[in-house]
């Protein structure tokens, strides 16, 4: 089939790889002028890594492996610990923190040079019984047998299918950076997740001396951007237990980026006829669980399996959406709340031995994935 993909982010590039490997003709249209190079880091869990492996994409040599997540109180007490090395053993794929730039590079590696057409913002989509046509900002059009809207959380394709108000701001946003911070933690495989009254902080070693670090704060779209964000973060979080003050002391404001989060209720049916959605376009969620990109990769896996069955393409797209609904709607509901609200009392960590916590994590991970378990 001839398949049009709108958006060349994580989902667009991954689905293009999958469809090309299955023998389809694929064209990808991206609004930006070039491949994105910013956006700091992403945690790829075993489920996303399983799909990457299926697509022939290896994370070897990039990012940092994560073996454990310790959740701490802001004064440094352990709330709970999660043994990710165990889930990696269970599913056969490591968990890793990687830069978005390097992940996109790996996804694009080996794809035809002319596959992605940059500077092509999709404006609208029309279809009849047999074909679907995308119209772009410059007035040109492209026609194919199927169209996949992988155009992210402000998706034009979704807006056309679902109307204007499907996605709403969540009540929080993230200041984040991927930078060279030379503290002991940076050279380990331990992800710290710290929560307190002032918000939440994540510190994630990302390999090669880099630390992915973030702070979640309350946010609404009407809020003005602080004049001096780093000074504001130091004021708010600088009294937390080590290593938060050390990270803030070593940080550089030029590396800081802000993302206000959004959320949509996942629908049972995402598309119509020959059009479907994939990734954030279908399920925008805050990064509370670090599953947005991982679930996007699960979409790619599920869509590839459905299309491989052949038959009526529109029916296959609806079957793909139906398969994805139970998992992704669960993840989306869990991710809606800020991690700052996930304040497990330290007593729980003391009452349950690490083995029970690891069993709970593995069960929970199982519910988030079809790809790694399948
Ligand atoms: C601060 C932060 C931290 C995160 N951390 C994690 C994490 O640790 N783990 C994880 O799994 N996920 C994480 N996520 C979520 C993850 O980034 C997204 O879920 C993932 O990028 C979704 O991929 P996508 O392809 O659907 O969308 P995107 O990667 O956003 O790609 C969409 C693409 O479509 C293009 N586009 C938009 N509109 C149009 C148009 N009209 N026409 C043509 N092209 C268009 C855009 O330019 C973009 O290139 C995080 C997100 C944020 C904001």
């Amino acid at each position: 089939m001839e398949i049009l993909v709108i958006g060349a982010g994580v989902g667009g590039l991954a689905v293009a790889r999958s469809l090309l490997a299955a023998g389809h003709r694929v064209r990808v249209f991206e609004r930006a002028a070039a491949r994105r190079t910013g956006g700091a880091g992403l945690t790829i869990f075993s489920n996303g890594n399983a799909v990457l492996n299926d697509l022939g994409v290896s994370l070897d040599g990039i990012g940092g492996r994560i073996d454990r997540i310790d959740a701490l109180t802001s004064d440094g007490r352990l709330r709970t610990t999660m043994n990710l090395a165990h889930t990696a053993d269970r599913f056969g794929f490591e968990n890793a923190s990687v830069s978005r730039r390097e992940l996109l590079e790996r996804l694009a590696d080996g794809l035809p040079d002319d596959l992605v057409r940059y500077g092509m913002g999709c404006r609208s989509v029309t279809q009849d019984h047999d074909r679907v046509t995308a119209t772009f900002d410059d007035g040109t059009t492209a026609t194919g047998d199927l169209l996949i809207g992988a155009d992210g959380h402000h998706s034009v394709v979704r807006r056309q299918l679902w109307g204007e108000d499907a996605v709403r701001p969540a009540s929080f946003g993230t200041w984040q950076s991927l930078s060279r911070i030379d503290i002991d933690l940076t050279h380990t495989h331990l992800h710290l997740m710290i929560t307190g009254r002032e918000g939440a902080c994540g510190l994630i070693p990302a390999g090669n001396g880099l630390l992915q670090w973030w702070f979640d704060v309350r946010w609404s779209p009407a809020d003005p951007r602080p004049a001096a964000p780093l000074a504001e973060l130091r004021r708010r979080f600088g009294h937390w237990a080590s290593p938060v003050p050390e990270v803030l002391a070593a940080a550089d404001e030029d590396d800081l980026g802000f993302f206000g989060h959004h959320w949509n209720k996942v629908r049972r049916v995402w598309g119509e006829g020959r059009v479907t959605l994939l990734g954030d376009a279908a399920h925008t969620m805050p990064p509370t669980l670090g599953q947005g990109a991982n679930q996007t990769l699960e979409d790619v896996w599920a869509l590839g399996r459905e299309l491989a069955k052949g038959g009526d393409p529109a029916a296959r797209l609806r079957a793909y959406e139906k398969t994805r609904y139970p998992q992704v709607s669960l993840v989306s509901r869990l991710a809606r709340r800020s991690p700052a609200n996930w304040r497990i009392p330290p007593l729980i960590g003391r009452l349950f031995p690490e083995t029970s916590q690891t069993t709970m994590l593995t069960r929970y991970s199982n519910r988030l994935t079809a790809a790694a378990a399948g």
Side-chain angles (χ1 to χ4, degrees):
M1 281 189 289
E2 189 171 3
I3 304 183
L4 312 178
V5 177
I6 307 300
V10 175
L13 290 177
V15 79
R17 282 190 89 88
S18 156
L19 297 171
L20 284 169
H24 298 290
R25 293 188 304 285
V26 183
R27 282 182 286 166
V28 183
F29 300 92
E30 165 60 48
R31 185 171 55 194
R35 193 180 321 134
R36 183 174 172 187
T37 55
L42 293 171
T43 303
I44 297 298
F45 288 97
S46 296
N47 61 330
N49 204 358
V51 181
L52 290 173
N53 180 69
D54 219 43
L55 298 173
V57 175
S58 159
L59 299 180
D60 284 356
I62 59 170
R65 195 182 76 235
I66 305 296
D67 289 341
R68 206 171 92 214
I69 302 182
D70 280 358
L72 306 177
T73 60
S74 55
D75 59 2
R77 283 171 300 145
L78 184 69
R79 291 185 191 277
T80 179
T81 186
M82 289 169 268
N83 184 336
L84 292 189
H86 178 83
T87 62
D89 282 348
R90 158 73 182 79
F91 295 121
F93 297 95
E94 284 175 352
N95 303 279
S97 173
V98 297
S99 79
R100 188 183 292 266
R101 176 183 59 77
E102 285 176 315
L103 177 62
L104 291 177
E105 274 170 18
R106 291 277 166 111
L107 284 168
D109 196 27
L111 294 177
D113 286 344
D114 59 353
L115 177 77
V116 182
R117 294 191 54 196
Y118 290 98
M120 298 290 284
C122 177
R123 196 165 65 195
S124 63
V125 175
T126 52
Q127 60 176 318
D128 58 26
H129 189 260
D130 298 317
R131 302 283 278 170
V132 52
T133 299
T135 301
F136 301 97
D137 290 337
D138 64 1
T140 59
T141 60
T143 298
D145 299 309
L146 293 183
L147 182 140
I148 298 166
D151 50 341
H153 68 293
H154 292 306
S155 169
V156 165
V157 182
R158 180 196 59 229
R159 206 179 308 145
Q160 210 168 325
L161 292 162
W162 298 7
E164 285 294 334
D165 298 327
V167 169
R168 289 163 196 264
S171 55
F172 65 105
T174 301
W175 288 99
Q176 73 158 10
S177 174
L178 177 69
S179 49
R180 217 158 276 286
I181 304 261
D182 195 11
I183 55 172
D184 290 348
L185 180 75
T186 306
H187 308 287
T188 69
H189 300 285
L190 171 65
H191 169 165
L192 292 185
M193 167 86 170
I194 310 162
T195 46
R197 267 189 313 118
E198 296 81 358
C201 163
L203 304 175
I204 317 171
N208 297 318
L210 294 170
L211 186 73
Q212 158 85 4
W213 53 275
W214 54 260
F215 290 88
D216 276 2
V217 294
R218 288 192 67 76
W219 164 81
S220 106
D223 292 347
R225 189 184 162 93
L230 188 53
E232 175 60 23
L233 291 177
R234 285 177 179 148
R235 188 191 63 74
R236 192 189 281 244
F237 296 97
H239 64 286
W240 280 19
S242 173
V244 175
E246 291 89 320
V247 171
L248 287 169
D252 185 334
E253 189 150 293
D254 291 345
D255 296 332
L256 256 184
F258 182 77
F259 299 84
H261 299 309
H262 294 77
W263 184 83
N264 72 271
K265 187 171 176 1
V266 179
R267 298 192 177 186
R268 285 175 189 275
V269 180
W270 300 354
E272 206 178 287
R274 293 171 172 271
V275 180
T276 192
L277 302 174
L278 182 138
D280 281 9
H283 41 78
T284 294
M285 64 183 94
T288 308
L289 305 178
Q291 275 289 328
N294 290 286
Q295 291 298 316
T296 298
L297 291 166
E298 295 244 4
D299 290 351
V300 169
W301 184 79
L303 180 60
R305 278 167 65 109
E306 278 304 329
L307 291 180
K309 293 178 184 167
D312 174 19
R316 295 273 66 82
L317 295 186
R318 297 301 80 75
Y320 144 72
E321 294 158 7
K322 195 171 168 192
T323 332
R324 290 297 295 129
Y325 174 78
Q327 248 148 17
V328 82
S329 62
L330 169 71
V331 178
S332 158
R333 274 179 278 127
L334 291 173
R336 187 176 186 183
R337 297 182 76 204
S338 161
N341 295 318
W342 291 40
R343 281 189 248 157
I344 302 163
L347 184 63
I348 299 285
R350 289 207 295 276
L351 284 179
F352 291 96
E354 194 180 320
T355 43
S356 328
Q357 295 177 47
T358 301
T359 306
M360 284 190 277
L361 173 72
T362 310
R363 285 204 185 130
Y364 152 82
S365 305
N366 239 329
R367 294 198 61 191
L368 304 191
T369 180

